[in-house]
């Protein structure tokens, strides 16, 4: 049984046993009386108002990534292929609702929690990554459902008996609970401007860890082309992940290499490559700080620490930036 199938048998919950995190989140919120949900998809060069990384020179457009973009000494073909595969798993999240259950402050702090008591109609975007894809048919006992439960099938007298479910990792400050999940859409394969729009809009929260700022979503589709494509790309990612982490495992603490594929400012995918600075143990979990560039809209993107073993609940998502300008992740089980 796959890790995702084992996981969906667990009770959905909110886990508050992790750490405090800062409120300098990077979920891009569009403002204005009549926000245009498409304005987040403009070219990065048009975002002259970005104060964190003016010009965005350290962001590499995903579709233009080459071996030469990797640091000297790490222009490795397997690493390059792994980054490309990780990008295939990266999704953009668009959220148009803020839950009334968002807390006013981060747990056990006086730091304001993002989007508390905010206007419900404002769009915010974040990033996330697919983790685990399973195909179900004819009432598979490892699923909660007897048929496909996408929006179209829920409104149909003949729902599909074949469907795919997959998890998406993101930050809890991007999608807080099922209220917000019901107003969340995912855009997949948004590799460059003017590419075909592929969306999934049936999303539920499987787990929300407020202190560690990790949200695990479960999504569904019965589109055969999309389901087969997502499943194939996930299997390819698993293979490349194991190959790269095995190759760099012994040197991980020396090179300290990491990378992020995200949707800064709600735009198409961009890659940033950098190094982690500190690794902090929080009980059985770990949090990292790093120099790898991020911008508003990068929240929830998985931060890949090259050479570290990963399994379910080990992925660390990008959360925000400390006042000393270092970026920081949530917490996870990492070795």
């Amino acid at each position: 049984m796959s890790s995702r199938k084992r996981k969906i048998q667990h009770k959905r919950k909110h886990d508050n046993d992790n750490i405090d995190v800062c409120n300098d989140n990077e979920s891009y919120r569009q403002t204005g009386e009549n926000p245009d949900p498409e304005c987040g998809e403009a070219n990065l060069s048009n975002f002259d108002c970005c104060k964190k990384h003016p010009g965005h020179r350290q962001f590499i457009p995903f579709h233009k990534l080459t071996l030469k973009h990797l640091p000297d000494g790490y222009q490795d073909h397997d690493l390059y292929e792994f980054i490309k595969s990780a990008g295939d798993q990266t999704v953009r999240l668009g959220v148009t609702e803020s839950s009334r259950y968002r807390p006013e402050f981060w747990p056990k702090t006086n730091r304001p929690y993002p989007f508390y008591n905010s206007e419900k109609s404002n769009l915010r975007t974040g990033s996330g990554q697919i983790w685990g894809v399973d195909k179900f048919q004819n009432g598979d006992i490892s699923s909660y459902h007897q048929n496909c439960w996408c929006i179209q099938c829920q409104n149909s007298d003949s729902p599909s008996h074949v469907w795919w479910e997959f998890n998406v990792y993101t930050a809890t400050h991007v999608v807080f609970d099922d209220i917000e999940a019901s107003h969340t859409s995912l855009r997949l394969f948004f590799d460059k401007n003017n590419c075909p729009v592929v969306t999934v809009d049936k999303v539920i929260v499987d787990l929300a860890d407020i202190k560690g700022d990790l949200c695990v979503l479960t999504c569904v589709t019965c589109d055969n082309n999309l389901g087969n494509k997502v499943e194939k790309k996930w299997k390819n990612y698993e293979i490349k992940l194991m190959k790269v982490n095995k190759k760099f495992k012994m040197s991980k603490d020396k090179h300290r290499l990491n990378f992020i594929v995200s949707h800064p400012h709600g735009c198409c995918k961009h890659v940033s490559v950098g190094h982690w600075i500190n690794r902090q143990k929080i009980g059985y979990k770990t949090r990292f700080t790093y120099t790898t560039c991020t911008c508003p809209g990068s929240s929830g993107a998985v931060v890949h620490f090259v050479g570290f073993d990963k399994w379910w609940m080990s992925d660390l998502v990008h959360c925000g930036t400390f006042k000393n300008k270092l970026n920081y992740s949530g917490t996870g089980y990492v070795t």
Side-chain angles (χ1 to χ4, degrees):
M1 184 182 294
S2 73
S3 60
R4 213 203 69 80
K5 285 189 177 181
R6 288 195 299 270
K7 184 272 308 169
I8 62 176
Q9 296 176 15
H10 296 173
K11 181 180 179 181
R12 296 188 176 103
K13 61 182 180 178
H14 280 262
D15 177 4
N16 294 322
D17 297 329
N18 294 312
I19 63 171
D20 293 339
V21 291
C22 293
N23 69 316
D24 186 10
N25 67 85
E26 295 189 327
S27 176
Y28 178 56
R29 178 179 175 182
Q30 299 173 24
T31 58
E33 293 182 357
N34 296 296
D36 179 359
E38 295 300 309
C39 71
E41 298 183 8
N43 289 328
L44 279 176
S45 58
N46 293 335
F47 281 84
D48 297 329
C49 61
C50 179
K51 297 180 179 179
K52 187 173 184 182
H53 293 292
H56 302 92
R57 295 182 180 88
Q58 293 174 293
F59 288 87
I60 308 161
F62 178 70
H63 69 286
K64 294 183 178 180
L65 181 70
T66 68
L67 271 175
K68 294 181 179 180
H69 287 111
L70 301 183
D72 291 340
Y74 302 101
Q75 294 180 356
D76 177 88
H77 181 74
D78 290 331
L79 177 59
Y80 167 76
E81 289 294 326
F82 175 52
I83 296 174
K84 295 291 287 186
S85 183
D88 288 338
Q89 307 303 308
T90 302
V91 303
R92 194 196 75 165
L93 294 91
V95 188
T96 57
E97 182 88 358
S98 291
S99 172
R100 63 183 180 274
Y101 296 111
R102 279 184 176 251
E104 185 174 0
F105 303 102
W106 287 98
K108 299 181 181 180
T109 76
N110 59 358
R111 294 190 290 270
Y113 194 80
F115 311 114
Y116 167 75
N117 202 27
S118 66
E119 298 178 21
K120 293 184 176 181
S121 60
N122 286 345
L123 171 72
R124 61 180 179 271
T125 66
S127 302
Q129 180 178 306
I130 293 172
W131 181 267
V133 181
D134 287 308
K135 182 178 181 179
F136 297 98
Q137 53 188 355
N138 298 324
D140 191 320
I141 61 173
S142 58
S143 173
Y144 288 120
H145 306 276
Q146 297 298 309
N147 305 297
C148 178
W149 45 282
C150 72
I151 292 176
Q152 291 80 2
C153 286
Q154 286 184 332
N155 296 324
S156 172
D157 294 330
S158 55
S160 176
H161 295 288
V162 179
W163 72 98
W164 288 260
E165 296 179 12
F166 56 94
N167 287 137
V168 167
Y169 282 23
T170 188
T172 305
H173 75 258
V174 176
V175 181
F176 184 77
D177 58 15
D178 275 325
I179 294 174
E180 296 185 5
S182 65
H183 293 82
T184 297
S185 64
L186 309 179
R187 182 167 180 181
L188 287 67
F189 313 122
F190 186 15
D191 296 349
K192 58 183 179 180
N193 292 324
N194 302 319
C195 68
V197 177
V198 180
T199 59
V200 171
D201 54 9
K202 182 59 179 179
V203 181
I204 60 174
V205 171
D206 199 64
L207 181 145
D209 172 359
I210 300 173
K211 286 186 177 180
D213 207 14
L214 173 66
C215 178
V216 180
L217 303 172
T218 298
C219 315
V220 62
T221 182
C222 59
D223 182 294
N224 285 325
N225 291 331
L226 177 57
N228 285 318
K229 183 176 182 179
V230 170
E231 184 178 15
K232 180 180 179 180
K233 287 185 177 294
W234 165 250
K235 291 178 179 178
N236 182 56
Y237 172 80
E238 284 189 297
I239 294 170
K240 296 186 183 305
L241 167 65
M242 290 187 290
K243 187 174 185 178
V244 165
N245 284 349
K246 182 178 180 180
K247 176 181 284 191
F248 290 95
K249 185 175 181 64
M250 300 306 296
S251 62
K252 63 185 180 183
D253 291 318
K254 179 180 179 181
H255 60 66
R256 298 191 171 202
L257 190 68
N258 73 336
F259 68 89
I260 300 172
V261 185
S262 70
H263 290 277
H265 300 286
C267 293
C268 58
K269 293 173 192 170
H270 282 70
V271 180
S272 52
V273 182
H275 298 85
W276 59 269
I277 303 300
N278 294 309
R279 178 173 50 177
Q280 180 184 10
K281 293 295 291 184
I282 311 292
Y284 293 104
K285 297 185 180 182
T286 301
R287 177 178 65 183
F288 285 83
T289 59
Y290 40 91
T291 61
T292 317
C293 292
T294 59
C295 264
S298 295
S299 272
V302 166
V303 189
H304 298 270
F305 298 94
V306 178
F308 285 84
D309 290 332
K310 296 168 64 175
W311 53 86
W312 184 75
M313 286 298 294
S314 69
D315 271 336
L316 303 177
V317 301
H318 174 65
C319 295
T321 307
F322 288 124
K323 290 183 178 180
N324 63 5
K325 306 302 182 182
L326 282 179
N327 289 325
Y328 67 93
S329 71
T331 60
Y333 300 100
V334 178
T335 58

